[in-house]
Amino acid sequence: MAWSNTFVVHKFGGSSLADADRYKNVAGILSDRQYGPQGVVVSAARGVTDDLLALVAAARRGEAVDDALTALGARHDDLAAALLQGDARDHYVAEHAKDLADIADIARATTLMRDASDAVIATVAGYGEVWSARLLAARLAQQWPDRAVCFLDARDVLTVSDHEMGPVVDWARSGPATVDALGADFAGTAVITGFVARDQDGVNTTLGRNGSDYSASIFGALLGASQIHIWTDVDGVLTADPRWVSEVKVIEELSYSEAMELAYFGAKVLHPQTMAPAVEHGIPIFIRNTFAPEAPGTRIGDRDPDAAPVRDAIKGITSIDGMAVVNLEGAGMIGVPGTAQRLFGTLSQAGISVVMISQGSSEHSICFAVSDADAQRARDLVHATFRNEIDSGVIQRVSLNRDRSVLAVVGENMAGAPGVAAKVFGSLGDAGVNVRVISQGSSERNISAVIDRADTTRALRAVHSRFYLSPQTLSIGVLGCGTVGRVLLEQIAGERERLRAQFNLDLRVRALANSQRMVLTDAAMDLCTWPAQLTESQTACNPDDLAKHVRAEHLPHAVLIDCTSSQHIADRYPAWLGSGIHVITPNKKAGSGALETYRRVRDAMREGDARYLYETTVGAGLPIIQTLRDLRETGDQIRRVQGIFSGTLAYLFNVYDGKRPF
C-alpha cells in the first residue's frame, strides 16, 4: 500500500520530554518542520518507565504502591497544567486518572498473586508512552488549530512476534492496520507511542531495549517515509566518546554499515536492530540535537549522490569495556576440521555472545572476546568441551584474561587504502598501549583490537589524534608568567589563528604556572582570561605535575616554555627532554653552568627525540645559535667569532657617551 503523501518521521526520547519546557521545545521543532505529513514517535517522559517498572516490582513484593501512583499522577497533571488549556487539559487529566485506576487494579492483582506475567509488565510499562503521546498530541492540536493532529496507540496497529533475535514485525497485518487507523490520504501529524506493540494473540508487549528507536524505524517503513529524524541530546554521531576524547567532531554522513559497526562497538548511535526496517526500505536516518535543532546532525543511509566525495578513511573510533579474552591453544588443532564448530556451537547453546574472534593462520590457537560477565562460564564450557583433548595433551590450555577492552576503528573507505592499519597500531605503540588481539574482517570497514582496560582512554585518544588532529598540534605549558611570559602569551594569542590557517599549526596552551600556583586545562586555554584564571587558581605550582599534564598521550607534540630564570626549573630539563617534551627557554642557567649539566641535556635530547631551543639565551635573542648551526651543517668551518654576546653589555656600551667612567 503506497501512501498518497510522503511522510517524515520524527522520534523524541525521554531526555527530550523531561519537563514542560522540553515538550514546548519539541512542539517548536515540529512547527518549524510543518511541511507535510508527520509521524512523531515518542518515548515516555524521562524516568517514567523506570517508575512504572519499580511500581510493578513493589507490588510483586507485596508493598503498597499508592504513593508511587500519586507521584505519577501529580507529575502528569502538572505537565498538563503547563502545556494545555481548557477542555484539552481536563480531558487529558481525566484520561490519565482512568489509567492510574487501571494500574492500581493491576497492582492489587499482582500483590495477591505475588507474580506478574510479561504481558502485565508490558502493559504497565507502556503507559508512559501513552501519556507522553497523548500530551504532545493535545499540545500540537492546540497549537495548530488548522492542521489535523491525532494520537495513535501503536498497540492498535503494530503486531510483532517473538524471535530469538528479538521482536519481528508482522508487516502483513501492521501495514493495513496503520492505513485503516490514519487513512491513506492523511496529511497531518500523527503522534505515535514508541516502545509498545501487541503480539499475534493481541497481548500487550514491548519492543525491548531501544524500543522507541525501533518504533521510529518501523513506522518509517509502514508510512513510506522519506526521512527518519532521531532527536537526542547530542549534535549527531561523534567521532569518539566525548567523555574520554575532548577533540571529537560530528560525523556528517555514515553508511548503514558504518553506523551498525559503531553502534555494535559501543557508540551511542542506534542499536543495529533498530535500523533494520529503514535499511530494508532505504530510508535515510538523521541523528539530530533537540537542544540545537539548527545543527545539521549526522545522516545515516546510502550515499547521497549530490554530496561531496568522502576522503576520510576513518569515520569513528569506539570501544567496549568490561570484556575478557578466552584462548584455546594446542598443536593438535592444526588441520583438524570442526574445531571452530565445536567451540562456537558450545557457546551458542549456552547463549553466550562472542564479540570478536581471532585465529592465526597456523591454526594453533583460537581466541575470542566475550563479556566479562560471561567470561568464567565461557572458559569452563570450552574446557569441558575439549576435556578429552586436554587430558591427552592434544590441546595444551584454555586460558582466560579479564579486564580487557575492545577498541574498534570504523570506516568504509579503509577498504583498499594502504597505511590505515599502520597508523592505528603505530599510534597505539607510540602511546605505550599493548595490543593483545587483532581482528579485521574481509570488508575492511573495521579494525578491532583487544587491549588492557586500563589503557582504553589513552588508546582512544591516541588513535583519534592520529586520524583527526593536525600532525602539528602542540600541547604547550608556560612556566613564568611575568614580563617575558606575558608578552609571549600575547604573541601566541594574536598569531594562533593565522598559524593554523597558513601552516596547519595548532598551538594549544594547556598549562600555565608562576612561582606559587598553576592552571591546567584539558582543552586550549582562553588566552584572554588567563591572568584571572592563574590568580584564582588554588593549585600549588608543581613543575613535574605540569610537565606530566602537558605530555598528553593523545596530542602529537608537547612543549614546555621556561620563561623563568630559575635553576630549580633548569635542573628538570634532562628529565623533560628524556620523556619526549621539547624545551624552549630564555633561561641561561642550563647553558651557563657546569659542562656536565649541558652534556646531560644533550644526551636527554637524543634519548627522548626532543628539541632544546635556547637561542634567546645568547645576545638577547640575536640569531646566533641557529646561524652557527646552519654554517656548520652546510660545510663551513668557523675559525673565530667576535662580538658582544651579552644583551646587557651591548645596551650599556651603546648608550655610553664617553664622558663618564664606564
Side-chain angles (χ1 to χ4, degrees), residues 22-209:
R22 295 192 179 179
Y23 273 91
K24 292 175 183 177
N25 183 55
V26 167
I29 290 171
L30 295 171
S31 292
D32 292 341
R33 288 158 179 79
Q34 199 183 146
Y35 40 70
Q38 299 173 324
V40 182
V41 177
V42 297
S43 299
R46 187 171 62 187
V48 170
T49 301
D50 290 340
D51 291 343
L52 289 166
L53 291 172
L55 184 150
V56 175
R60 291 176 72 174
R61 296 190 298 268
E63 299 172 4
V65 298
D66 294 344
D67 290 344
L69 286 169
T70 299
L72 284 167
R75 179 176 179 184
H76 286 83
D77 287 351
D78 289 344
L79 286 171
L83 295 169
L84 305 177
Q85 298 173 356
D87 292 342
R89 180 186 62 238
D90 295 341
H91 179 72
Y92 180 84
V93 171
E95 289 294 309
H96 188 252
K98 290 179 184 177
D99 292 340
L100 291 177
D102 290 343
I103 295 173
D105 290 341
I106 295 171
R108 279 192 289 273
T110 300
T111 299
L112 290 172
M113 299 293 294
R114 293 297 173 94
D115 191 22
S117 66
D118 290 342
V120 166
I121 295 172
T123 297
V124 175
Y127 274 109
E129 275 69 22
V130 172
W131 298 335
S132 184
R134 275 189 196 148
L135 185 60
L136 183 60
R139 172 73 185 191
L140 294 177
Q142 179 180 280
Q143 187 169 301
W144 304 332
D146 298 327
R147 182 177 175 85
V149 177
C150 71
F151 159 70
L152 178 61
D153 189 336
R155 292 174 295 192
D156 294 337
V157 298
L158 181 58
T159 301
V160 300
S161 58
D162 196 22
H163 188 271
E164 64 179 353
M165 302 279 297
V168 174
V169 178
D170 185 338
W171 299 101
R173 293 175 64 174
S174 302
T178 305
V179 175
D180 291 343
L182 293 179
D185 296 325
F186 183 78
T189 296
V191 184
I192 308 167
T193 55
F195 179 61
V196 295
R198 281 203 172 101
D199 66 18
Q200 293 180 318
D201 296 323
V203 177
N204 289 341
T205 187
T206 69
L207 300 180
R209 181 187 175 193

Side-chain angles (χ1 to χ4, degrees), residues 35 388 543 595 623:
Y35 40 70
N388 291 336
L595 182 60

